[in-house]
Amino acid sequence: MLRISRGQGRWRQVVWAGVAAALLAGGAGCKQKMSYQPRYDPLERSETFNDRSSARPLPAGTVARGFLRDDPEVFLGRKENGDYATEFPFPITEEVMRRGQERFTIYCTMCHGFSGYGNGMIVQRGFSPPPSFHAPETREKSVGYYFAVITNGYGAMPGHAHQIPVSDRWAIVAYVRALQLSQNASLDDVPAAHRSALDAPPPAPMNSRSADPHSANSHSGGAR
Amino acid sequence: MAQHFHRSMNTIAKVSIFGAVFIIGFSAWLLLEVNRSSNVTNVGIALPQPVQFSHQHHVAGLGIECRYCHTSVEHSAFANIPPISTCMNCHQQIWFGAPMLEPVRASWKSGQALEWNRVHNLGDYVYFNHGVHVQKGIGCVSCHGRVDQMQLIYKDQPHTMEWCLSCHRNPAQHIRPRDQVFNMTWKPEDIGETQAALGARLVKEYNIEPARKLTSCSTCHH
């Protein structure tokens, strides 16, 4: 009698030790319900819809608040009569220009190169080469044309509307205009106070490999 | 009446009362260490992905900026994963027929989303926001490590509460100029400064909230 009960006691100890160890390990390893609440994170998989995507496309014919595109000159780069716009829809300040430079570097340089000669890294890896922004035919195009190309694409170039907001597209166009001026300017075009800056070394590019042999020129006044 | 316990029990009882402190302490320490280990935090572990997309190749090799793909990271809580159309900007030409890219083309044709496996995933009870960190000068590299050297993405930092707080108590040790947030290799020495001096200056310039606010529970749990 006594022996049996002692035996049971030992078993009980073993079981409790096991339960304690399991709790310890379990507490460390598992996440509670609070971690997975019944709501969607952005882009989370959904079992409800056939395409398994919780991010739903807009139903046809609806316009999201703040996304009404009613001014063709601003949103399509075209005037009422269908011609390309020749003026920017907002004043070009130094701030806009810097924004344009930053956005151009992010979205265009891999193909068009840092100075717009059309020799970026992706082109070196086999993408069709774009024309130089400094070719006479390209320089003649109006600002609306550039805006439309960024928005809708052109030939082998894909449209970038889903990546770049409208105001940034215009800022990029302004910067492309500045690039075109810089490659066809003489020293006299530079205000005297800024000439010394031309001899300064170019700022280090974001990524150590700058694929563009021309980028050095634009800073040292090589196009004189 | 017979003695119930042997004399030695006196010592055993004393030792075990004293020892319990250590046993409980040890268990607690073990629990914390296990919770911090990579088994739980998944640091350094890459997940299988439908396409062998390499950040090393695209970022370091080709010089594509983070924002070309993660377009919303500057202003929204969520850093978006690029849609297939972004890949197709280049891959409609580059390596178009490669078997490696078959899942990308299939998704492009069918419109069915490509399902990447999520590497970073905080519990739903935590609120995190990319926009505020980018705007206040915290580099991607501070939280994600050298993404430009990763074949497949893995977690570089533990992303535990302890880890968040270690920076929120003193952001000056990590803060950098806003225009260097996306630069993976930037160091304060590049502009001839020390992190201590630069950090102190930028914390003022960018109006960083005081540690009291940044470590308050309701900042991240609400």
Side-chain angles (χ1 to χ4, degrees), chain A residues 133-187:
Chain A
F133 287 152
H134 311 298
E137 324 79 80
T138 315
R139 281 168 57 85
E140 274 164 22
K141 300 275 171 37
S142 61
V143 291
Y145 171 80
Y146 285 86
F147 182 87
V149 170
I150 303 176
T151 307
N152 309 318
Y154 165 77
M157 173 176 153
H160 282 67
H162 74 283
Q163 284 156 286
I164 317 177
V166 171
S167 60
D168 282 349
R169 281 178 240 158
W170 283 112
I172 290 174
V173 175
Y175 181 69
V176 170
R177 273 287 186 254
L179 269 183
Q180 291 173 332
L181 274 178
S182 78
Q183 300 301 298
N184 293 276
S186 72
L187 195 58

Side-chain angles (χ1 to χ4, degrees), chain B:
Chain B
M1 206 173 99
Q3 264 193 321
H4 280 291
F5 297 107
H6 191 261
R7 281 168 157 271
S8 65
M9 278 314 273
N10 286 338
T11 332
I12 292 180
K14 276 186 199 141
V15 168
S16 57
I17 289 171
F18 195 63
V21 176
F22 289 99
I23 293 169
I24 294 172
F26 176 76
S27 313
W29 172 81
L30 194 72
L31 191 70
L32 282 176
E33 280 307 302
V34 170
N35 261 330
R36 282 178 191 148
S37 75
S38 60
N39 283 330
V40 174
T41 60
N42 293 331
V43 166
I45 299 171
L47 300 181
Q49 299 289 1
V51 179
Q52 298 291 305
F53 173 78
S54 156
H55 276 76
Q56 186 198 14
H57 213 140
H58 288 84
V59 176
L62 301 169
I64 311 176
E65 232 255 19
C66 310
R67 284 171 284 183
Y68 189 84
C69 295
H70 301 294
T71 45
S72 74
V73 71
E74 283 172 293
H75 46 256
S76 89
F78 181 71
N80 68 308
I81 299 297
I84 290 299
S85 58
T86 302
C87 312
M88 286 321 245
N89 281 356
C90 297
H91 287 293
Q92 57 174 338
Q93 283 197 16
I94 303 252
W95 283 33
F96 183 71
M100 242 180 142
L101 284 165
E102 180 50 38
V104 176
R105 287 192 301 272
S107 161
W108 177 246
K109 278 194 210 107
S110 68
Q112 287 264 332
L114 191 63
E115 290 183 40
W116 302 101
N117 277 316
R118 241 190 123 141
V119 180
H120 305 79
N121 202 353
L122 297 175
D124 283 357
Y125 54 84
V126 186
Y127 174 71
F128 177 78
N129 187 317
H130 274 96
V132 67
H133 290 94
V134 171
Q135 297 301 336
K136 299 276 178 158
I138 304 295
C140 312
V141 72
S142 301
C143 302
H144 293 298
R146 289 297 299 273
V147 171
D148 62 330
Q149 293 177 349
M150 296 181 189
Q151 284 287 347
L152 283 181
I153 285 271
Y154 55 84
K155 222 175 175 182
D156 183 74
Q157 299 290 322
H159 289 199
T160 54
M161 175 161 144
E162 184 186 15
W163 173 81
C164 308
L165 290 177
S166 72
C167 179
H168 276 207
R169 286 197 190 100
N170 180 16
Q173 54 186 330
H174 292 289
I175 200 162
R176 50 172 73 196
R178 272 196 200 106
D179 57 356
Q180 300 300 338
V181 161
F182 299 89
N183 188 337
M184 292 271 121
T185 54
W186 181 86
K187 294 188 298 303
E189 290 77 36
D190 294 351
I191 51 171
E193 293 216 52
T194 59
Q195 183 63 44
L198 180 73
R201 185 159 60 74
L202 290 181
V203 162
K204 283 212 195 74
E205 200 177 312
Y206 295 169
N207 277 325
I208 302 294
E209 306 261 14
R212 182 172 37 81
K213 162 95 197 302
L214 288 180
T215 54
S216 136
C217 315
S218 60
T219 298
C220 308
H221 304 292
H222 53 243

